[in-house]
Amino acid sequence: MNINEITSWIVSFLILVGSLLSLLSAFGILRLPDVYTRSHAATKAATLGVICILSGAFLYFWVFQGYVSARLLLGILFVFVTAPVAGHLICRAAYRSKVPLWEKSVQDDLKKVLTKEDYQHQAEN
Amino acid sequence: MKINDVILQTVTKAVSFIILTFSVFLFFAGHNNPGGGFIGGLMTASGLVLLYLAYDIETMKSVIPIDYKKLAAVGLFLAVATGIGSFLFKVPFLSHTFAYKYLPILGKTELATVLIFDLGVYFTVIGVTMTIILTIGEDE
């Protein structure tokens, strides 16, 4: 096996895994019960899927076209940094606007902290 | 309830650097690749809007004390001035030219006067976009 054949296997593996992860994340959004678990599926699996697909494209252009695309590297970095923060912000907005958790959830640590803050706030005024 | 924006603000600090750098890259790439003044200006404006989202308008006004209406006017002036400048060389309105120069780091570079026109488009797009968004945002 020469280098081109090995790379084509790696590229196809990366792109296939990326698309499968995106598909899994779509199933997660459909099947999971509430906002928080859905965002768990949407941010993690979809981010890794997009990163895999972009890495496959980067490797393809690098080996077969001889073109090192800095934009793809920047895109990988950008998605890696921003997608979890977007998920965090959406979840936080949902929690602060009192979207209920799934009825079978057993633990809610943030509630104690937030209500304590509310008490202190009322005590100060 | 005190809102703690530390994650958003920290990530914004890093990400707005990437966005603004990439917008400058798009602006210079416009001659031979996809890109140009319009999309570069829009991307700079979106990076600025991200900063405005993470911090408040008063902080941003003290950090970037630019009147965006004046920026749009400067952009229009640059675009018209490159057009009028062609009269100095006795050629029709908006005629452009280019030359090859040796710059210190970049080596042989094609310098075109279209770049100044594009800079005008860039400033105008930033100015108009930010004026629209800030006017809506400041409405009470």
Side-chain angles (χ1 to χ4, degrees), chain B residues 66-81 119-129 131:
Chain B
I66 299 175
D67 188 355
Y68 291 105
K69 290 192 271 309
K70 281 178 190 154
L71 195 67
V74 167
L76 279 177
F77 173 76
L78 272 179
V80 175
L119 192 69
V121 176
Y122 181 75
F123 282 159
T124 314
V125 170
I126 297 176
V128 170
T129 317
T131 309

Side-chain angles (χ1 to χ4, degrees), chain B residues 29-74:
Chain B
H31 204 60
N32 298 317
N33 286 306
F38 186 77
I39 194 72
L42 272 183
M43 203 152 186
T44 307
S46 64
L48 288 175
V49 168
L50 180 66
L51 282 169
Y52 274 92
L53 280 176
Y55 302 90
D56 51 315
I57 287 187
E58 281 74 30
T59 319
M60 285 303 295
K61 263 193 187 137
S62 63
V63 174
I64 308 177
I66 299 175
D67 188 355
Y68 291 105
K69 290 192 271 309
K70 281 178 190 154
L71 195 67
V74 167

Side-chain angles (χ1 to χ4, degrees), chain A residues 20-124:
Chain A
L20 278 178
L21 278 170
S22 308
L23 188 70
L24 273 181
S25 125
F27 277 129
I29 293 171
L30 283 177
R31 301 271 305 163
L32 287 170
D34 69 347
V35 174
Y36 310 103
T37 46
R38 273 179 196 159
S39 131
H40 170 79
T43 27
K44 287 188 181 64
T47 309
L48 189 60
V50 169
I51 288 176
C52 279
I53 292 175
L54 285 180
S55 316
F58 173 76
L59 216 58
Y60 175 81
F61 280 118
W62 190 17
V63 173
F64 293 99
Q65 320 258 324
Y67 174 64
V68 178
S69 172
R71 272 168 285 181
L72 277 173
L73 284 182
L74 206 60
I76 293 171
L77 183 75
F78 195 80
V79 170
F80 187 66
V81 171
T82 50
V85 179
H88 157 77
L89 287 173
I90 290 172
C91 269
R92 207 174 71 145
Y95 195 89
R96 301 242 170 178
S97 46
K98 309 244 182 339
V99 175
L101 273 69
W102 185 33
E103 66 264 24
K104 287 182 191 163
S105 308
V106 289
Q107 199 170 1
D108 188 358
D109 285 340
L110 189 56
K111 193 177 182 183
K112 282 178 239 158
V113 182
L114 279 186
T115 43
K116 200 175 87 186
E117 233 173 51
D118 275 351
Y119 281 135
Q120 281 175 352
H121 196 68
Q122 280 165 5
E124 278 165 17

